[in-house]
Amino acid sequence: MATTPIQIGDISIGGAHPFALITGPCQLESLDHARMMAERIAAACAPTATRFIFKASYDKANRSSISTERGLGMDEGLRILDQIKREFGVPVLTDVHDARQCAPAAQVCDVLQIPAFLCRQTDLLLAAGETGSAINVKKGQFLAPWDMGNVAAKIASTGNTRIMLCDRGTSFGYNTLVSDFRGLPTMAQTGYPVVFDATHSVQQPGGQGTTSGGQREFAPVLARAAVAVGVSALFIETHQDPDNAPSDGPNMIPVDKMADLIGQLRALDDLTKSQAHIAL
């Protein structure tokens, strides 16, 4: 089922449009780091003219342990995201974890992201929808894909239909996620563009005891599969030194590998979407 495109800045997402890339480091580290990452991402996207939304979190509230780093906080994080948006002329995305964060985050961010663990929190969904910003809702690891229709309906009840539904894997036993690609066209039946999160889908939640593990070598495999299904956007976190990143390092793609991966993905996307009936 072809989804109805939404507009984020000058990027059209959905239907037969080329996939948009949501990418950046998991956690904001500093303005200099965010600027360096945005420069390298822009360079990786340039050969294929791939449009990207810069993402990074000012607070990682859903951490495995009390001892793991959470981030710079909302005030400093939004200041950095605003600077990146202005300097690079790209839309920016960040997570919100509480209804009170939505309005201030929306003053800077083009997209508010609802974390998977919070996708059924009605007050948060309503507050996010009421900002009028585009909303990227991650499907809870515990949720069936058809249940995302109820999630989207909560946001749409505010009059905001600028909604994207994002799959990031499904719980499979302990510390393991699997990706069921039947869920992507299932979520597309809502009419909203579908995003596939390739890097969190290879996460091993809590798999290292006080931190999450991951198998980043499989992220490109899943990304290629999702593009073959016809997704509207891909979510791929990246870092210049994933093994020493403050969060989700085991999942992230090294930024120096991104240009080659994006080239592969765009070639597959062009092939997939040349078939008019294959577009989510």
Side-chain angles (χ1 to χ4, degrees):
M1 173 181 178
T3 54
T4 301
I6 66 170
Q7 198 72 20
I8 298 176
D10 59 356
I11 305 175
S12 297
I13 300 177
H17 291 285
F19 75 81
L21 183 62
I22 300 170
T23 186
C26 180
Q27 186 178 129
L28 282 167
E29 299 177 33
S30 68
L31 175 58
D32 286 345
H33 183 261
R35 183 181 284 128
M36 179 272 291
M37 289 300 304
E39 288 175 349
R40 295 186 69 173
I41 290 166
C45 289
T48 54
T50 296
R51 310 303 301 278
F52 76 95
I53 297 168
F54 183 83
K55 70 80 46 187
S57 300
Y58 56 75
D59 180 18
K60 301 300 294 183
N62 298 322
R63 301 311 308 271
S64 298
S65 166
I66 192 66
S67 64
T68 48
E69 295 184 47
R70 287 186 54 167
L72 300 176
M74 185 166 68
D75 291 344
E76 177 66 5
L78 292 178
R79 185 186 72 80
I80 291 172
L81 288 169
D82 186 52
Q83 188 70 22
I84 296 301
K85 179 178 178 175
R86 293 172 187 273
E87 284 188 25
F88 292 89
V90 295
V92 294
L93 172 154
T94 199
D95 298 288
V96 288
H97 301 90
D98 183 280
R100 294 167 295 182
Q101 296 179 359
C102 294
Q107 291 179 8
V108 171
C109 297
D110 303 271
V111 188
L112 302 184
Q113 181 163 277
I114 308 297
F117 287 124
L118 301 178
C119 70
R120 290 183 57 171
Q121 297 300 309
T122 302
D123 290 345
L124 176 60
L125 295 171
L126 295 179
E130 287 166 357
T131 67
S133 294
I135 312 297
N136 185 39
V137 192
K138 292 201 174 183
K139 183 185 78 65
Q141 302 92 324
F142 48 85
L143 220 58
W146 46 85
D147 291 332
M148 288 298 284
N150 292 328
V151 173
K154 291 181 182 182
I155 300 170
S157 73
T158 68
N160 184 352
T161 57
R162 301 177 66 218
I163 300 166
M164 296 182 288
L165 303 179
C166 181
D167 192 291
R168 50 125 329 141
T170 301
S171 295
F172 186 78
Y174 298 122
N175 306 123
T176 304
L177 300 171
V178 296
S179 294
D180 179 359
F181 289 98
R182 296 173 299 179
L184 302 178
T186 298
M187 290 197 298
Q189 291 176 9
T190 62
Y192 298 113
V194 173
V195 184
F196 182 74
D197 180 345
T199 44
H200 284 97
S201 291
V202 300
Q203 187 184 63
Q204 296 169 319
Q208 295 181 345
T210 59
T211 60
S212 291
Q215 295 175 298
R216 77 169 69 98
E217 66 271 23
F218 293 121
V221 177
L222 297 185
R224 290 193 295 266
V227 167
V229 175
V231 290
S232 299
L234 285 169
F235 181 107
I236 300 176
E237 289 186 336
T238 185
H239 196 275
Q240 87 285 358
D241 183 13
D243 290 334
N244 291 296
S247 64
D248 275 346
N251 314 325
M252 286 194 282
I253 302 293
V255 72
D256 62 4
K257 307 283 189 186
M258 286 290 284
D260 286 346
L261 176 59
I262 292 167
Q264 294 173 17
L265 296 172
R266 280 300 303 271
L268 286 170
D269 189 62
D270 291 345
L271 177 62
T272 298
K273 289 176 181 168
S274 68
Q275 309 298 313
H277 63 286
I278 307 177
L280 306 182

